[in-house]
Amino acid sequence: MNIALGSSFEFETQIIIANDLEFIQKNDFDLLMTEIRHIQNMIIKLKQNYSK
């Protein structure tokens, strides 16, 4: 799960860079950021529940 979470943060960084370089549109950026943060939250909660 640590690898999955780390990969999601790496992908988030790539999305931010793509937006800064104007390779993606603002609405696509917003959608991707919302989705990746949702996925990150799911991974974090799964990790917390698994470690109990």
Side-chain angles (χ1 to χ4, degrees):
M1 283 183 272
N2 289 333
I3 293 172
L5 187 58
S7 295
S8 73
F9 284 117
E10 181 179 351
F11 183 56
E12 179 181 15
T13 301
Q14 292 171 357
I15 293 168
I16 292 168
I17 292 169
N19 183 61
D20 289 346
L21 295 175
E22 298 179 354
F23 290 153
I24 59 175
Q25 295 179 353
K26 175 78 169 116
N27 59 337
D28 292 334
F29 171 75
D30 293 338
L31 177 63
L32 288 168
M33 290 302 290
T34 299
E35 291 296 321
I36 194 68
R37 290 202 173 123
H38 178 69
I39 291 168
Q40 289 168 342
N41 286 334
M42 288 191 301
I43 295 170
I44 289 167
K45 288 180 186 193
L46 179 62
K47 194 174 158 186
Q48 289 171 344
N49 287 333
Y50 185 71
S51 65
K52 288 183 180 180

